[in-house]
Amino acid sequence: LDALTGRNGATSRTLFWRHHQHDQMAVRHGDWKYLRIKGREGLFDLASDERERANRIAAEPAIADDLKRRFAQWNDGMLQYAASNYSYDAGAQAMDRP
């Protein structure tokens, strides 16, 4: 409530997420977001590029490495995907319907 009313700033935190389909993972820390989908990597400065158009991974390898390290540390404490888990392409599934 304090952040919404302007009495106190928002608390800074690191956000992590992952999705089994296409081996997706992402980390948001401060203004930076690291993203990997199907083995393709991206690093984005969301303060100046909120649409994630300019991949900064080649220009800022130390930031990318730090975010990957943070993700690996977080992911080590998470349950692994079970072999019975699967992902599907929702578009392909829709096309299979009569």
Side-chain angles (χ1 to χ4, degrees), residues 41-89:
E41 297 179 299
L43 179 69
F44 305 97
D45 178 0
L46 299 180
S48 63
D49 179 24
E50 64 188 33
R51 291 183 165 198
E52 300 177 13
R53 305 275 186 185
N55 188 348
R56 306 281 302 149
I57 201 158
E60 303 287 351
I63 294 172
D65 289 344
D66 177 57
L67 294 178
K68 287 191 269 186
R69 179 191 55 77
R70 289 173 186 267
F71 181 86
Q73 187 175 30
W74 170 80
N75 197 46
D76 284 347
M78 300 299 293
L79 293 173
Q80 297 302 309
Y81 290 113
S84 61
N85 287 2
Y86 65 93
S87 295
Y88 60 90
D89 182 337

